Amino acid sequence: MDMDFVLCDFMTTHLEYKALYPELMYTHSKPGFFLDLNPIDGAVEGFQWLMESPHFDPYILTAPSVRNPHCYTEKRLWVEKHLGIAAAYRLIISPNKALNIGAYLIDDNLTGKGQDGFAGELLHFGSERFPDWDSVLDYLGPEQKRQKKGA
Ligand SMILES: [Mg+2]
């Protein structure tokens, strides 16, 4: 799964930085930006559910902001802070997502970082079909999810 706009709430911090640092052309070029992001609603629970499920082997697949070299460290720190150290072992930072193999890619973009070349199924996060984490988990594992919720 992707980080920005899927696990990480990029937009809220972007708007905060815009107000704090109006001179910045790219808010995400400022050191600290990526570590400051909050998780998207349901993302932490969604990731943990996938980690615990015997049916999935989840990895985090994020493209770097190459012109902000701090992002490579901050993404790693963000993952440990919000998802735990086990998740840090599952962090892949790659400018071309097509080079990785998986059954699914959960991403808010269909193109730009190799998403369109990814061999698995692309779940378009933020779209009408997959507006949030609940809709993704419902699609990936409705039976297991219902059991977990006790429904
Ligand atoms: Mg993204």
Side-chain angles (χ1 to χ4, degrees):
M1 72 202 69
D2 177 34
M3 284 185 77
D4 299 323
F5 296 93
V6 174
L7 288 172
C8 313
D9 179 4
F10 189 98
M11 186 54 74
T12 299
T13 302
H14 167 72
L15 295 174
E16 287 171 2
Y17 271 51
K18 269 284 180 210
L20 282 171
Y21 314 105
E23 73 285 0
L24 276 185
M25 190 181 306
Y26 300 107
T27 53
H28 58 273
S29 67
K30 189 161 183 68
F33 178 85
F34 285 97
L35 191 52
D36 268 354
L37 303 179
N38 292 311
I40 291 260
D41 279 349
V44 172
E45 297 80 2
F47 180 82
Q48 298 303 353
W49 182 80
L50 290 168
M51 284 284 273
E52 289 166 17
S53 167
H55 305 286
F56 296 98
D57 185 23
Y59 281 82
I60 300 160
L61 178 55
T62 182
S65 175
V66 174
R67 290 175 185 268
N68 172 9
H70 297 274
C71 88
Y72 295 80
T73 297
E74 291 183 20
K75 283 172 177 282
R76 155 67 180 80
L77 291 170
W78 190 97
V79 165
E80 182 178 359
K81 180 179 175 186
H82 294 283
L83 301 174
I85 189 65
Y89 285 92
R90 291 171 170 272
L91 173 63
I92 300 167
I93 301 178
S94 168
N96 184 351
K97 299 186 182 189
L99 297 177
N100 292 274
I101 297 167
Y104 302 98
L105 173 61
I106 308 165
D107 205 300
D108 65 302
N109 282 311
L110 299 177
T111 60
K113 304 294 179 187
Q115 292 95 335
D116 51 340
F118 185 79
E121 184 180 351
L122 183 54
L123 308 189
H124 189 196
F125 195 87
S127 66
E128 204 170 304
R129 177 67 186 87
F130 297 108
D132 51 28
W133 270 93
D134 266 353
S135 59
V136 169
L137 297 185
D138 279 342
Y139 180 74
L140 290 176
E143 285 176 32
Q144 295 94 325
K145 192 178 177 208
R146 276 199 296 275
Q147 282 169 13
K148 188 163 183 181
K149 281 187 169 173

